[in-house]
């Protein structure tokens, strides 16, 4: 199963943001063990780097964390057609439209986010980390 993990959930795990870290880490472990194929959009990586560096204040630590992240997550390409598609969606938040387009390109079953309202018009199922964990552990 392919899942796109939104920037906020990646950052929860990467910089250990409480009270969200535990669920984000559980999702990372599902990917590490091969139960899911997790993806992060290529455009989100720069945001993740910027925010993590601002919070952790150490470039070398952030680079190592992102390298480790990429051992268990794939990169969902953001192409020219992705950008055109995102523009055509006319969503309020262009970044979320790009994330959604990247999710479509990988045939994501879910987009995992703490901000479900940002994806109101999604045809991909939008779930919180808690909801996703409930689906994969109960289903």
């Amino acid at each position: 199963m392919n899942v796109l993990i939104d920037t906020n959930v990646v950052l929860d795990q990467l910089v250990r943001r409480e009270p969200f870290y535990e669920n984000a880490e559980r999702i990372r472990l599902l990917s590490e063990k091969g139960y899911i194929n997790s993806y992060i959009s290529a455009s989100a990586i720069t945001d993740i780097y910027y925010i993590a560096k601002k919070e952790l204040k150490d470039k070398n630590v952030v680079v190592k964390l992102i390298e480790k992240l990429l051992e268990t997550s794939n990169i969902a390409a953001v192409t020219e057609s992705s950008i055109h598609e995102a523009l055509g969606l006319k969503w309020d938040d262009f970044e979320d439209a790009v994330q959604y387009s990247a999710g479509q390109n990988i045939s994501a079953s879910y987009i995992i986010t703490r901000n479900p309202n940002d994806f109101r018009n999604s045809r991909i199922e939008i779930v919180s980390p808690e909801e996703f964990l409930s689906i994969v552990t109960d289903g």
Side-chain angles (χ1 to χ4, degrees):
M1 157 188 345
N2 293 344
V3 299
L4 183 78
I5 303 177
D6 197 12
T7 305
N8 54 52
V9 178
V10 174
L11 284 164
D12 292 344
Q13 188 277 323
L14 208 64
V15 299
R16 296 177 172 255
R17 292 197 293 207
E18 295 296 345
F20 310 110
Y21 170 74
E22 182 180 334
N23 286 333
E25 175 63 8
R26 287 177 62 201
I27 292 168
R28 187 196 66 78
L29 288 171
L30 287 171
S31 184
E32 180 179 65
K33 293 177 180 180
Y35 295 119
I36 62 172
N37 299 313
S38 67
Y39 287 82
I40 302 162
S41 77
S43 60
I45 295 294
T46 56
D47 294 338
I48 291 164
Y49 174 88
Y50 175 80
I51 295 166
K53 186 174 172 232
K54 194 172 181 181
E55 288 190 32
L56 299 175
K57 299 178 183 1
D58 188 327
K59 174 186 173 184
N60 294 326
V61 168
V62 172
V63 167
K64 286 180 180 156
L65 286 171
I66 290 177
E67 287 173 344
K68 185 156 181 64
L69 171 70
L70 296 178
E71 291 174 8
T72 57
S73 292
N74 303 292
I75 299 294
V78 175
T79 63
E80 181 178 351
S81 64
S82 302
I83 298 298
H84 286 291
E85 179 184 352
L87 288 168
L89 292 170
K90 297 184 180 5
W91 286 10
D92 290 339
D93 189 320
F94 180 64
E95 178 189 2
D96 292 329
V98 172
Q99 295 270 71
Y100 172 73
S101 179
Q104 284 193 306
N105 290 341
I106 61 157
S107 301
S109 299
Y110 299 96
I111 295 177
I112 304 171
T113 182
R114 284 194 293 104
N115 299 319
N117 289 337
D118 293 346
F119 297 90
R120 276 190 302 265
N121 298 317
S122 174
R123 290 180 298 225
I124 300 170
E125 190 167 351
I126 306 303
V127 293
S128 69
E130 296 80 10
E131 290 168 329
F132 180 74
L133 290 166
S134 177
I135 290 165
V136 296
T137 58
D138 294 343

